[in-house]
Amino acid sequence: MTNVVYHKPNKNTENHVSIMDIHFISTTKTNLLSDELIPRLKNKEKCFIVTANPEIVMQTKEDAQFKHIVQTADFVVPDGVGIVIASKHKKQPIKERIPGFDLMLDLLKYANDNQLSCYFLGAKDYINNKAVSEINRRFPYLKVAGHHHGYFKGKESEVLREMKATKADLVFVALGSPQQERWIHKNIDQFSHGLFMGVGGSFDVLSGEVKRAPEKWIKLNLEWLYRLLKEPFRWKRILKVIEFMIRIYIKKE
C-alpha cells in the first residue's frame, strides 16, 4: 500500500493563533472547507482534524502525550467560545468559532453531493445504528462504507482491518476526547487516504438521543450553558473552562 505524501499546513502563519501552545486555525468554516479540506479530499490525501474547546486545551496541559497528538494534527479547529474569547484577549482574534458538529454536517453534505464514502466509528451500538440511519435519511447519495460502535476492546485489530478494507474517504470517530484523538493518531498511518475527524458526542445528537441547543442559543454562543442546564452532571467540565480563563487572563498564558 502506498501512502499519499503531502505537506502539512504551516502553523506559524497569520492563519493560525497559538493558545497555550496549541495552534488554532483562524478562518471561517466556509474557507476551511473550500481552501483546505475539500482540496485534500479531491487529492485523496490524509488529513487529521481536531475540534478543540477550552477543556481539551486544559487536557493538553495535563498530558504531554496528548498535547503532542493535538499539535501534530493537520488542523485544530476552534470549537468553543472560550477559545475565541482567549484569542481576542491575546489581541489575535480568531475569525470565527467553528462548531465541530456543524463542520461534520458540511462534510457529510459534500460527501453526499460527490458520492463519497464515510465510516462511522464510536458511541453505543444502538446509538451508532440510529445515527447511521439518520445520516442515510438526510444524505441518501452518501456511501456508508461501514460503521462500528465504540466498545471494541479486544477486537481492535479486527475493527481496524475492517475499516481499512472499506477505503473510506471520510472517517468520523466518536470515542470522546482524548480517546478519539489517540485512536486517530495511532492508526491514521495504516490508511492510504482519508479525512479523519474526532466528533465527540455528535452521534448522540444525530441519533436523537441528545437534543442540540436551539439556534438562538447557538448564535449567542451559549450552547455550553444549554448543555449544562440539560445535563447538570457536566458541571465539573465547567471548572476546567474557569481554570482555562484564569490562565488566560491572570497568568497570561
Side-chain angles (χ1 to χ4, degrees), residues 167-186:
K167 299 182 179 180
D169 298 301
L170 300 97
V171 178
F172 297 100
V173 184
L175 299 176
S177 186
Q179 291 82 4
Q180 60 196 21
E181 289 80 20
R182 292 186 191 281
W183 188 94
I184 294 171
H185 182 263
K186 177 182 178 181

Side-chain angles (χ1 to χ4, degrees), residues 113-162:
D113 293 345
N114 294 273
Q115 299 182 19
L116 300 183
S117 60
C118 300
Y119 195 100
F120 303 93
L121 176 69
K124 295 178 180 178
D125 193 12
Y126 80 96
I127 289 177
N128 185 289
N129 288 330
K130 287 179 68 176
V132 170
S133 294
E134 176 63 12
I135 288 165
N136 274 324
R137 186 188 70 80
R138 291 198 203 182
F139 307 102
Y141 301 110
L142 175 156
K143 178 184 176 184
V144 176
H147 63 103
H148 198 285
H149 60 77
Y151 297 83
F152 50 87
K153 187 175 181 180
K155 298 174 57 180
E156 292 89 348
S157 296
E158 179 183 333
V159 171
L160 183 60
R161 279 197 304 272
E162 174 196 315

Side-chain angles (χ1 to χ4, degrees), residues 6 8-9 11 37 40 45-51 66 68-77 171 173 178-186 188 194-198:
Y6 64 95
K8 285 179 176 283
K11 296 183 181 179
L37 304 186
R40 283 166 171 75
E45 296 177 358
K46 283 190 285 189
C47 181
F48 174 19
I49 304 170
V50 172
T51 61
F66 181 54
H68 171 72
I69 289 172
V70 175
Q71 288 177 325
T72 56
D74 296 287
F75 299 99
V76 182
V77 175
V171 178
V173 184
Q179 291 82 4
Q180 60 196 21
E181 289 80 20
R182 292 186 191 281
W183 188 94
I184 294 171
H185 182 263
K186 177 182 178 181
I188 191 170
L195 184 151
F196 293 74
M197 177 177 169

